[in-house]
């Protein structure tokens, strides 16, 4: 990770561009063609990080406070909030350090900046990996609760949930450490991309199967009560909308970042790929946006949790 003037471009193994500036326009890359470069103002980036921080701290506090929420499902939601919180904190810390170095408020000592850079990089990567893992864990938990409802409490016990949570955190830290150490190997980037594709496929299969079961259940109820067909269609549309929000948000917020990683392996020198690389800061912003949206999707929809938040 080379030093960029008085500052370091943190997460530089993934980023081939300079820090973003507050503008949207056409940028010319080294090979000549013009590219659409979307740059995010640092103030907006910091604001999103702070909003995510507040949201996820509230989720964690509510789950800790309310004993009715001390169940495996809410523990997974709590860990997702912690992961999203770390995503926001690490990215905000990175941006703040860069701004302080640019302003000369911090002495740019190479050794200190190198150590800080490595710590923040590991924190960012481990929080991203753990966030993806807990999104998958929540999908699996909901799937078991629907298809194995009678056996759910014997299958998803607190000891098993705690072991799964511990395994996810340990694996995330080890994987991020290896990634930072061997970031210049294409196999490492391909492993990360494969991990994202696997999580996307897992969530898509599980949620589509759950939607199909819910629609089947709704049709059975409609036949039992002889309701109109429009009621069934309305339920199906509502379920499809929910599924679209779940998977669409996941793909929109995480997809560009992992597309960036894929193109680093597939076409690092191609002019078109260079245009994608110039929007790296936008891709990080989308990940922070995901940390803002996750509590709205997975936590705040719970009536019990909302009630606890009002008390908090």
């Amino acid at each position: 990770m080379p030093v960029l003037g008085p500052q370091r471009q943190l997460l530089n193994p993934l980023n081939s561009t300079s820090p973003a500036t507050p503008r949207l326009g056409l940028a010319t890359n080294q090979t000549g063609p013009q590219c659409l470069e979307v740059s995010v103002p640092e103030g907006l980036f910091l604001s999103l990080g702070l909003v995510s921080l507040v949201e996820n701290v509230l989720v964690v506090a509510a789950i800790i406070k309310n004993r009715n929420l001390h169940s495996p499902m809410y523990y997974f939601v709590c860990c997702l909030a912690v992961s999203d919180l770390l995503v926001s904190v690490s990215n905000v810390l990175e941006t703040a350090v860069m701004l302080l170095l640019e302003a000369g408020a911090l002495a740019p000592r190479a050794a200190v900046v190198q150590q800080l850079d490595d710590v923040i990089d590991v924190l960012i990567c481990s929080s991203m990996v753990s966030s993806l893992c807990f999104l998958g864990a929540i999908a699996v938990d909901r799937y078991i609760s629907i298809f194995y409802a009678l056996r759910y409490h014997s299958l998803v016990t607190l000891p098993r949930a705690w072991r799964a949570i511990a395994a996810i955190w340990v694996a995330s830290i080890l994987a991020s450490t290896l990634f930072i150490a061997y970031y210049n190997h294409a196999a490492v980037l391909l492993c990360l991309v494969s991990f994202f594709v696997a999580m996307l496929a897992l969530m898509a299969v599980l949620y589509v199967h759950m939607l199909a079961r819910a629609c089947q259940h709704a049709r059975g109820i409609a036949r039992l009560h002889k309701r109109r067909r429009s009621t069934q269609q309305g339920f199906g549309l509502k379920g499809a909308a929910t599924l679209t929000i779940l998977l669409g948000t996941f793909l929109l917020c995480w997809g560009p970042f992992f597309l960036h990683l894929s193109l680093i392996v597939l076409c690092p020198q191609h002019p078109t790929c260079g245009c994608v690389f110039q929007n790296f800061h936008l891709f990080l912003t989308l990940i922070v946006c995901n940390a803002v949206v996750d509590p709205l999707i997975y936590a705040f929809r719970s009536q019990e949790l909302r009630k606890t938040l009002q008390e908090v």
Side-chain angles (χ1 to χ4, degrees):
M1 301 183 191
V3 176
L4 303 179
Q7 70 179 44
R8 290 180 61 82
Q9 176 60 50
L10 306 180
L11 263 186
N12 200 56
L14 309 181
N15 183 14
S16 60
T17 66
S18 60
T21 54
R23 61 188 178 84
L24 165 62
L26 294 176
T28 305
N29 64 15
Q30 295 179 354
T31 57
Q34 288 186 327
C35 308
L36 181 64
E37 180 181 359
V38 182
S39 296
V40 181
E42 302 294 355
L44 176 60
F45 188 78
L46 291 172
S47 299
L48 288 173
L50 292 175
V51 171
S52 170
L53 176 65
V54 172
E55 282 185 342
N56 288 289
V57 165
L58 287 174
V59 172
V60 174
I63 293 175
I64 292 175
K65 183 180 186 303
N66 191 341
R67 291 186 177 276
N68 293 332
L69 301 177
H70 291 186
S71 64
M73 180 184 70
Y74 283 105
Y75 284 147
F76 289 134
V77 172
C78 182
C79 288
L80 174 63
V82 172
S83 298
D84 287 341
L85 188 151
L86 291 177
V87 168
S88 302
V89 168
S90 54
N91 278 288
V92 168
L93 179 60
E94 174 200 17
T95 304
V97 170
M98 290 168 57
L99 292 176
L100 290 174
L101 287 171
E102 284 181 341
L106 291 179
R109 298 179 182 177
V112 175
V113 173
Q114 172 70 47
Q115 294 176 357
L116 181 61
D117 184 21
D118 292 340
V119 170
I120 293 179
D121 284 347
V122 171
L123 181 61
I124 291 175
C125 291
S126 60
S127 59
M128 288 180 178
V129 172
S130 63
S131 182
L132 291 174
C133 288
F134 286 118
L135 285 171
I138 291 172
V140 171
D141 177 79
R142 292 184 174 181
Y143 183 86
I144 295 175
S145 68
I146 291 176
F147 287 89
Y148 303 93
L150 297 178
R151 300 173 55 199
Y152 174 78
H153 293 290
S154 61
L155 292 174
V156 185
T157 62
L158 281 178
R160 288 178 179 174
W162 283 119
R163 286 196 293 269
I165 289 170
I168 288 175
W169 283 116
V170 171
S172 299
I173 294 173
L174 291 177
S176 61
T177 303
L178 290 174
F179 170 70
I180 296 302
Y182 301 101
Y183 67 87
N184 55 344
H185 291 74
V188 175
L189 296 180
L190 290 177
C191 286
L192 281 175
V193 174
S194 300
F195 170 69
F196 166 74
V197 173
M199 281 295 139
L200 177 61
L202 174 67
M203 293 177 62
V205 170
L206 295 183
Y207 282 124
V208 168
H209 198 188
M210 283 186 277
L211 175 62
R213 170 60 68 89
C215 290
Q216 181 183 8
H217 184 65
R219 286 195 297 269
I221 294 176
R223 284 195 300 267
L224 181 63
H225 295 281
K226 297 181 180 180
R227 294 180 180 176
R228 295 180 179 178
R229 185 176 181 82
S230 60
T231 303
Q232 304 173 29
Q233 294 175 346
F235 180 85
L237 290 174
K238 183 179 179 181
T242 301
L243 180 64
T244 302
I245 291 173
L246 286 171
L247 297 181
T249 300
F250 181 83
L251 186 60
L252 176 63
C253 293
W254 289 99
F257 176 78
F258 285 94
L259 173 64
H260 180 101
L261 297 188
S262 302
L263 295 182
I264 289 177
V265 177
L266 297 175
C267 54
Q269 304 299 328
H270 195 277
T272 304
C273 296
C275 292
V276 176
F277 297 152
Q278 291 182 10
N279 291 289
F280 178 77
H281 197 66
L282 173 64
F283 304 156
L284 283 183
T285 303
L286 288 175
I287 292 178
V288 174
C289 288
N290 183 79
V292 174
V293 174
D294 275 349
L296 303 177
I297 296 177
Y298 295 98
F300 294 153
R301 296 174 65 185
S302 167
Q303 183 177 0
E304 183 74 21
L305 193 142
R306 289 200 306 270
K307 180 181 177 181
T308 307
L309 285 176
Q310 292 174 357
E311 296 174 358
V312 172

